[in-house]
Amino acid sequence: MPVIPSRFEYLTVKIVDGVAVIGFLESASMIEGDRVDKLAKELFDLIDEKKFTKILLNLYNTGYMSSAMLAQLIRLHRKMQSVRGKVRLCALRPPIVDAFKVSQFDKLFEIFPDEPSALKKF
């Protein structure tokens, strides 16, 4: 599975069977406003540059997600819809699952327990 060389401060990226599997290097980037903006810029620049239409976000390193980051996920969802792409999430920790249920994000995104189960659904 090819790994895209890391020029990113907040992301890891690997390609598995045509799916961009994107991980996050630190959970603090999901909390702080300026870091959320930088992370979102990296994420959207990557998607625009590589023209990804299948994205799996691995949220294993995320223990908490701010409302600003949730807003970026909505933005990502809309962007992927506009290009007829798919975005799925995996490896959410219990506090994130709870937040997704409360905000009804679990109805917006397909959520899987791990990468292999998510990759099978692409």
Side-chain angles (χ1 to χ4, degrees):
M1 86 189 82
V3 174
I4 294 177
S6 185
R7 60 186 161 110
F8 301 107
E9 188 176 350
Y10 300 103
L11 305 176
T12 62
V13 184
K14 63 184 176 184
I15 308 301
V16 180
D17 298 327
V19 177
V21 180
I22 300 173
F24 300 94
L25 293 172
E26 59 175 294
S27 63
S29 60
M30 301 294 201
I31 299 171
E32 299 171 4
D34 61 329
R35 287 188 174 185
V36 169
D37 293 342
K38 290 175 185 175
L39 182 150
K41 180 170 178 14
E42 283 186 6
L43 180 62
F44 286 96
D45 286 353
L46 171 69
I47 292 166
D48 290 340
E49 178 184 315
K50 300 294 184 183
K51 307 290 187 227
F52 290 132
T53 57
K54 296 178 184 176
I55 296 173
L56 174 59
L57 295 181
N58 184 325
L59 297 174
Y60 179 77
N61 283 338
T62 306
Y64 171 82
M65 193 175 293
S66 68
S67 59
M69 190 62 208
L70 291 172
Q72 294 300 333
L73 289 180
I74 293 288
R75 187 173 153 223
L76 175 62
H77 176 72
R78 288 181 181 148
K79 179 175 188 62
M80 295 309 293
Q81 280 185 318
S82 74
V83 297
R84 297 202 164 135
K86 295 183 188 228
V87 59
R88 295 194 167 108
L89 312 176
C90 73
L92 281 73
R93 294 186 182 204
I96 303 294
V97 171
D98 292 344
F100 272 53
K101 286 180 181 175
V102 167
S103 62
Q104 297 189 347
F105 274 44
D106 60 332
K107 295 183 180 7
L108 190 62
F109 294 98
E110 287 185 79
I111 300 171
F112 297 88
D114 53 40
E115 278 186 29
S117 60
L119 289 167
K120 286 179 189 175
K121 296 295 182 174
F122 272 98

